[in-house]
């Protein structure tokens, strides 16, 4: 195996381990690593072969990554297979999904604050603390999304891709 192939394989595996440590399936992380390097489009069969996993596992994890906004389904003219490619600005889609989930949590915290008895001081304090954290984190991530979106709109200087 060439040095560059070893580097690619090592990167893909590290992405799998990183995803696994975040509670995602390891295969999903490996697929993300594959698409960061190769872009796509790639068929499910080609992914399964390249990553040495079952096609069913690739299919399941492709759906997970598609639902997160990381991958996009695409077609190759004259071929009936399912193909995927890395979504443009996939990192923004990941953050946007996280902001949406944080919004749901914020709503749930606010509802609990209203519904629990006011004299439950300790519970109310924990709810308020968590609610404050979630809302501040959400605001900061929204600002990050705006900055990243502006930067992504800028063209990279010559010689950089």
């Amino acid at each position: 195996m060439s040095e560059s192939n070893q580097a690619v394989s090592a990167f893909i595996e590290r992405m799998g381990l990183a995803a696994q440590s975040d509670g995602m399936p390891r295969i999903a992380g490996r697929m993300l690593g594959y698409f960061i390097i190769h872009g796509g489009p790639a068929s499910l069969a080609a992914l399964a072969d390249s990553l040495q996993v079952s096609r069913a596992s690739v299919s399941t994890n492709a759906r997970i990554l598609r639902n997160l906004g990381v991958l996009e389904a695409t077609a190759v003219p004259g071929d009936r297979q399912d193909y995927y490619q890395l979504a443009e600005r996939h990192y923004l889609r990941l953050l946007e999904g996280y902001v949406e989930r944080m919004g749901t949590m914020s709503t749930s915290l606010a509802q609990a604050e209203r519904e629990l008895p006011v004299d439950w001081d300790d519970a109310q304090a924990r709810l308020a603390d968590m609610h404050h954290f979630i809302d501040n984190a959400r605001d900061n991530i929204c600002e990050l999304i705006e900055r990243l979106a502006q930067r992504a709109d800028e063209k990279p200087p010559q010689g950089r891709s």
Side-chain angles (χ1 to χ4, degrees):
M1 182 182 285
S2 74
E3 208 172 295
S4 59
N5 286 345
Q6 287 177 340
V8 167
S9 294
F11 171 73
I12 288 171
E13 194 55 39
R14 286 192 307 270
M15 291 298 290
L17 294 171
Q20 190 174 34
S21 71
D22 281 341
M24 292 282 296
R26 188 173 182 177
I27 299 301
R30 291 181 69 214
M31 288 174 62
L32 175 58
Y34 175 94
F35 280 106
I36 289 172
I37 296 295
H38 300 289
S43 70
L44 296 177
L47 283 167
D49 185 53
S50 178
L51 298 175
Q52 298 178 336
V53 295
S54 73
R55 186 167 172 185
S57 181
V58 168
S59 178
T60 298
N61 286 281
R63 273 193 304 278
I64 290 169
L65 292 172
R66 186 185 65 219
N67 291 341
L68 289 172
V70 174
L71 295 184
E72 297 175 326
T74 188
V76 171
D79 195 337
R80 290 185 182 184
Q81 291 189 70
D82 293 327
Y83 283 82
Y84 288 90
Q85 63 188 19
L86 190 64
E88 187 175 332
R89 299 180 183 175
H90 64 279
Y91 48 89
L92 293 178
R93 292 179 183 186
L94 281 173
L95 290 174
E96 289 163 350
Y98 187 59
V99 165
E100 185 177 317
R101 291 186 300 279
M102 291 175 87
T104 300
M105 185 180 286
S106 178
T107 300
S108 179
L109 290 163
Q111 182 177 353
E113 287 176 290
R114 288 189 307 273
E115 293 175 352
L116 288 178
V118 179
D119 61 345
W120 287 23
D121 297 336
D122 290 345
Q124 286 289 356
R126 287 188 297 271
L127 285 167
D129 185 49
M130 185 68 176
H131 196 184
H132 177 75
F133 165 76
I134 290 293
D135 287 348
N136 279 301
R138 202 167 145 222
D139 290 344
N140 283 304
I141 293 171
C142 286
E143 290 174 16
L144 174 62
I145 290 169
E146 287 179 33
R147 285 195 313 270
L148 290 172
Q150 288 171 355
R151 184 172 178 215
D153 287 336
E154 298 170 3
K155 288 190 173 191
Q158 290 292 63
R160 283 182 52 196
S161 52

